[in-house]
């Protein structure tokens, strides 16, 4: 015993002995085995080394006797060597392993959504009251023709490529069955159907029970091709080729064999207990021409009835990459910013690779407009869309719609404890343990998702009305509606907006 491997627990369980009735609800609720009852001494005890601060026990303590607080005890840190950095060094010195994390990058880089403010009408072009006047929030995603076509008799020819209709400019991001639970997927699917939007299978295939929600499903094809077959492609409203993910650009995915059990293994079409490893590249894609082949293979396989989305991580030369994708025949480009969530990613990648979605989105929209090909694709923006205001700002920067994942998980009960990669989620979301999965009631989950999106839709209508705009599609790329605060000229130039006061 050297003491070198000891790291003082990050969180502390504070139990108010005067309130605690020893009911043991906390013992039953904590999936990490922190609480126990010491029968000999007749007291509740805690093993705080196991606590991830998921707040489950706090929420279920009937006596409000519990608090989980930051312990505050740790190595002496400073502005250069933070406590987290020092603890990570200790962990690596002990294990020799790559550090794993989940959820999005928590780093201090600027959140540009918070540095942009939205315009409102005052005297001329008066505001619109969305309670009394029509307000359109639906959007159509897919390739649009450059001009209206007419036949020899002058009649309008309507031969649009396949489009996706969303009742509001939001859809649920890709989250695979395996990384999240069956009940989480059912909640997302039901909510998407009720709301008239889409959810996304991620790379884990589509569970048999969820084929009935196909009209509200994006089916994903990732480098591992898990669960991909003809019926799967046919089932979705759109097909997404995943080239990259904001939380881990440039690397593949890994779902440990311990999570590949039962239905997860059947849905992914791989044997139980086998690690599901998606390679970093698609082994048949090394150029835009190769990507074009897969885009058209998928279109061919579905008789050109489904739009094809290509999802990429926001990286340094994203504008040029998007230009290539637009020319590959893709109908929609999904850009995922560096704060996007994940079930598991190497910590160093998550925190240091990629760029903010706001800058990536603005750069891509500008590049496609400059090249005269903006109409050939729709743009989806994801990677930490936290509110209706973020959605409106993203649309003004050029997004046709936004992808939302972390906010949806929060609606399902996630407390951002950032331990999804452990597979032990006390809230029944990022887990496959049956006794935990059943903690999430899909009926309740879907209702909460519908509530959240309904609230956002109402807020979007209020913001639009304030701007004097009565259709979300009329806002797309209208950067005059945004002003920056506290941003340098270079940042303003990339965002394509003026500074507040200008
Ligand atoms: S749930 Fe609350 S009241 Fe019950 S044993 Fe735990 S701390 Fe005590
Ligand atoms: S892991 Fe969650 S449930 Fe367990 S003690 Fe910590 S906060 Fe409570
Ligand atoms: S999904 Fe579960 S494990 Fe992941 S951050 Fe949320 S509460 Fe924690």
């Amino acid at each position: 015993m050297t003491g070198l491997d000891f790291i003082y627990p990050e969180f502390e369980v504070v139990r108010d002995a005067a309130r605690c009735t020893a009911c043991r609800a906390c013992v039953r609720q904590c999936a990490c085995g922190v609480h126990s009852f010491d029968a000999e001494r007749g007291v509740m005890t805690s093993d705080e080394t196991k606590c991830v601060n998921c707040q489950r026990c706090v929420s279920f303590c009937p006596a409000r006797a519990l608090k989980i607080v930051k312990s505050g005890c740790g190595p002496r840190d400073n502005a250069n060597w933070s406590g987290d950095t020092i603890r990570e060094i200790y962990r690596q010195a002990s294990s020799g392993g790559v550090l794993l994390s989940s959820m999005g990058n928590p780093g201090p880089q600027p959140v540009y959504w918070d540095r942009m403010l939205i315009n409102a009408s005052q005297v001329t072009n008066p505001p619109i009251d969305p309670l009394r006047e029509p307000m359109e929030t639906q959007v159509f995603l897919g390739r649009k023709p450059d001009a209206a076509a007419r036949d020899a008799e002058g009649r309008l020819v309507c031969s649009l490529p396949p489009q996706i209709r969303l009742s509001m400019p939001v859809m649920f991001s890709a989250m695979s069955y395996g990384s999240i639970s069956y009940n989480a997927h059912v909640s997302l699917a039901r909510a998407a159907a009720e709301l008239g939007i889409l959810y996304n299978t991620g790379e884990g295939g589509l569970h048999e029970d969820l084929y009935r929600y196909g009209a509200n499903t994006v089916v994903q094809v990732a480098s591992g091709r898990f669960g991909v077959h003809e019926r799967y492609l046919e089932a979705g409203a759109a097909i997404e080729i995943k080239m990259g993910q904001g939380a881990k650009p440039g690397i593949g995915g890994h779902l440990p064999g311990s999570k590949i059990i039962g239905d997860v293994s059947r849905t992914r079409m791989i044997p139980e207990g086998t690690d599901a490893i998606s390679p970093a590249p698609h082994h048949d894609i090394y150029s835009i021409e190769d990507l074009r082949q897969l885009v058209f293979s998928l279109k061919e396989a579905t008789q050109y009835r489904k739009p094809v989305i290509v999802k990429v991580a926001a990286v340094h030369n994203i504008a040029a990459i998007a230009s290539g994708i637009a020319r590959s025949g893709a109908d929609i480009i999904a850009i995922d910013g560096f704060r996007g969530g994940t079930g598991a990613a190497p910590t160093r990648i998550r925190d240091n690779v990629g760029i903010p979605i706001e800058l990536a989105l603005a750069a891509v929209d500008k590049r496609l407009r400059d090249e005269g090909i903006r109409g050939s694709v729709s743009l989806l923006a994801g990677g930490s869309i936290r509110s209706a205001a973020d959605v409106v700002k993203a649309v003004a920067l050029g997004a046709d719609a936004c992808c939302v994942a972390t906010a949806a998980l929060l609606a399902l009960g996630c407390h951002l404890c950032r331990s999804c990669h452990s597979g032990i989620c006390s809230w029944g979301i990022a887990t496959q343990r049956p006794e935990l999965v059943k903690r999430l009631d899909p009926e309740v989950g879907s209702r909460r998702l519908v509530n959240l999106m309904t609230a956002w839709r109402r807020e979007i209508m209020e913001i639009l009305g304030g701007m004097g705009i009565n259709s979300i599609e009329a806002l797309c790329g209208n950067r005059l509606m945004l002003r920056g605060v506290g941003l340098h000229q270079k940042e303003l130039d990339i965002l394509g907006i003026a500074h507040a006061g200008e």
Side-chain angles (χ1 to χ4, degrees):
M1 174 100 181
T2 62
L4 285 173
D5 289 341
F6 179 77
I7 302 174
Y8 195 86
E10 196 178 351
F11 304 107
E12 197 171 314
V13 176
V14 179
R15 197 186 316 266
D16 185 337
R19 287 184 167 210
C20 177
T21 59
C23 71
R24 285 165 242 187
C26 50
V27 179
R28 291 187 293 278
Q29 293 300 331
C30 179
C32 301
V34 173
H35 305 282
S36 57
F37 180 69
D38 184 333
E40 215 170 274
R41 291 192 295 140
V43 292
M44 297 297 303
T45 59
S46 324
D47 178 359
E48 288 146 330
T49 58
K50 297 175 183 168
C51 179
V52 296
N53 194 9
C54 73
Q55 294 282 308
R56 179 85 184 181
C57 58
V58 174
S59 306
F60 280 80
C61 171
R64 295 223 185 284
L66 271 179
K67 271 196 286 190
I68 307 293
V69 296
K70 279 219 157 212
S71 73
C73 178
R76 184 170 172 176
D77 56 1
N78 59 47
N80 185 35
W81 288 95
S82 70
D84 283 347
T85 308
I86 297 169
R87 270 190 284 268
E88 285 170 359
I89 297 261
Y90 289 157
R91 281 168 57 203
Q92 288 195 302
S94 165
S95 69
V98 170
L99 294 172
L100 273 186
S101 305
S102 28
M103 306 310 281
N105 175 353
Q109 295 89 351
V111 178
Y112 288 99
W113 301 130
D114 297 337
R115 309 278 183 93
M116 288 186 280
L117 298 173
I118 299 167
N119 192 30
S121 301
Q122 293 301 296
V123 181
T124 58
N125 183 26
I128 298 167
D129 183 348
L131 291 175
R132 293 180 178 78
E133 296 180 60
M135 179 72 68
E136 190 56 80
T137 59
Q138 73 175 335
V139 294
F140 292 86
L141 306 180
R143 179 179 295 262
K144 309 288 188 304
D146 292 331
R150 293 186 182 276
D151 65 14
E153 272 80 50
R155 286 182 299 247
L156 212 52
V157 179
C158 290
S159 58
L160 273 180
Q163 303 283 311
I164 297 171
R165 178 190 167 280
L166 301 176
S167 64
M168 61 186 287
V170 174
M171 51 202 275
F172 299 130
S173 310
M175 289 176 270
S176 72
Y177 175 42
S179 73
I180 60 171
S181 66
Y182 174 83
N183 284 357
H185 250 211
V186 175
S187 304
L188 289 163
R190 280 192 198 168
E194 195 174 324
L195 288 160
I197 62 172
L198 302 183
Y199 85 107
N200 189 317
T201 60
E203 61 175 316
L206 181 61
H207 192 285
E208 274 301 319
D209 297 351
L210 300 184
Y211 272 75
R212 72 182 115 144
Y213 298 105
N216 297 92
T217 307
V218 176
V219 293
Q220 194 180 75
V221 175
S223 59
R225 305 285 199 269
F226 301 123
V228 176
H229 49 82
E230 197 180 343
R231 198 171 139 248
Y232 170 78
L233 297 176
E234 278 292 342
I239 303 167
E240 178 173 274
I241 301 171
K242 177 191 171 187
M243 298 301 301
Q245 182 180 342
K248 40 184 173 181
I251 66 166
H254 178 198
L255 195 66
S258 57
K259 289 189 179 179
I260 310 294
I261 46 170
D263 274 355
V264 174
S265 123
R266 273 189 291 283
T267 305
R268 290 196 177 222
M269 303 193 309
I270 53 174
E272 287 207 3
T274 317
D275 284 10
I277 297 174
S278 333
H282 286 246
H283 286 311
D284 51 356
I285 301 180
Y286 291 92
S287 66
I288 290 295
E289 290 74 18
D290 292 344
L291 174 63
R292 186 176 172 82
Q293 293 225 355
L294 181 57
V295 167
F296 279 91
S297 299
L298 294 172
K299 290 187 180 208
E300 188 81 29
T302 51
Q303 294 83 48
Y304 292 83
R305 287 184 286 104
K306 319 265 179 190
V308 173
I309 307 169
V310 174
K311 176 178 177 178
V312 279
V315 290
H316 296 180
N317 50 348
I318 185 67
I321 294 167
S323 169
I325 296 171
R327 292 164 200 282
S328 75
D331 302 273
I332 299 164
I333 304 175
I335 312 166
D336 197 18
F338 82 142
R339 283 189 197 280
T342 176
T347 310
R348 298 288 166 252
I349 302 280
R350 187 198 65 176
D351 296 355
N352 295 282
V353 181
I355 65 171
I357 183 60
E358 303 91 320
L359 300 177
L361 171 62
V364 168
D365 180 65
K366 179 175 186 304
R367 172 80 173 241
L368 298 184
R369 285 178 198 277
D370 288 349
E371 294 184 358
I373 54 172
R374 178 63 183 84
S376 66
V377 281
S378 292
L379 292 180
L380 290 171
S384 197
I385 301 287
R386 307 156 303 168
S387 70
D390 288 355
V391 174
V392 170
K393 292 172 188 177
V395 172
L397 280 185
D400 292 278
C402 292
C403 297
V404 168
T406 304
L409 296 189
L410 289 172
L412 292 179
C414 166
H415 278 58
L416 267 185
C417 69
R418 298 175 174 276
S419 50
C420 318
H421 56 286
S422 71
I424 305 172
C425 173
S426 281
W427 294 91
I429 301 166
T431 183
Q432 302 308 319
R433 293 191 182 184
E435 75 280 10
L436 298 179
V437 172
K438 70 181 182 200
R439 289 181 175 187
L440 173 60
D441 179 347
E443 200 58 50
V444 175
S446 61
R447 195 178 69 236
R448 290 175 59 83
L449 287 166
V450 169
N451 283 346
L452 178 71
M453 288 300 119
T454 303
W456 282 25
R457 182 166 175 268
R458 288 180 179 145
E459 290 175 336
I460 289 170
M461 292 200 294
E462 281 188 346
I463 299 171
L464 283 180
M467 286 189 274
I469 293 176
N470 62 5
S471 161
I472 189 77
E473 287 197 323
L475 179 68
C476 185
N478 185 351
R479 301 179 195 195
L480 290 173
M481 291 296 147
L482 297 176
R483 289 289 187 274
V485 273
L487 296 175
H488 298 302
Q489 191 54 51
K490 190 71 181 172
E491 293 165 310
L492 292 167
D493 290 346
I494 294 168
L495 291 167
I497 61 174
H499 200 275
E502 287 185 311

